[in-house]
């Protein structure tokens, strides 16, 4: 089934420069910026600049270069924020919400990087 990308979503508007963002890091293919409603001391969103709706769309349709770029930019933000488990073991959580059951609000693929405090259990039961 094809993925139906809505180019009026808020991250598409950020990428077109129609609304501002608080950029953390950027490459030719990917952008990292602070979440407007932070859930933790570090809450950065990492998005591809290409038009992909969710993880399975990105995995199926992005180029290897785009996938590598997003993965490496995510790691760069983790390192620059001092969250790398290779340093003091602080750690972090990466979340990507997809679709209805994943409660995805913005239909442009994105990773949430969360850290800076103990993050609790992964999911509430129920
Ligand atoms: P999700 O539920 O995974 O789609 O999460 C979307 C995230 O985008 C939420 O954490 C929002 O706080 C965040 N968000 C929405 N609009 C903006 C914006 N203009 N700049 C930065 N983050 C935003």
């Amino acid at each position: 089934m094809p993925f139906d990308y809505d180019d009026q979503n808020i991250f598409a508007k950020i990428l077109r420069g129609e609304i501002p963002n608080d950029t953390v890091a950027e490459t030719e293919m990917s952008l990292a910026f602070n979440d407007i409603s932070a859930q933790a001391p570090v809450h950065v969103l990492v998005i591809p600049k290409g038009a992909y709706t969710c993880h399975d769309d990105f995995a199926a349709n992005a180029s290897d270069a785009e996938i590598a770029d997003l993965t490496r930019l995510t790691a760069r933000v983790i390192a620059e924020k001092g969250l790398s488990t290779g340093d003091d073991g602080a750690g972090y959580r990466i979340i990507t919400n997809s679709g209805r059951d994943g409660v995805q609000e913005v239909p442009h693929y994105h990773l949430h990087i969360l850290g800076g405090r103990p993050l609790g259990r992964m999911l509430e039961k129920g």
Side-chain angles (χ1 to χ4, degrees), residues 82-92:
L83 303 179
S84 175
T85 51
D87 294 337
D88 69 354
Y92 54 88

Side-chain angles (χ1 to χ4, degrees), residues 10-11 14 19-22 33-39 43 45 95-99 102-108 110-112:
I10 198 146
F11 295 170
I14 285 175
I19 61 170
N21 76 92
D22 184 9
F33 55 100
N34 284 313
D35 194 294
I36 204 166
S37 180
Q39 306 292 310
H43 189 169
L45 302 172
I95 295 173
T96 185
N97 298 315
S98 293
V103 195
Q104 181 179 7
E105 291 174 15
V106 180
H108 180 109
H110 53 281
L111 301 177
H112 297 253

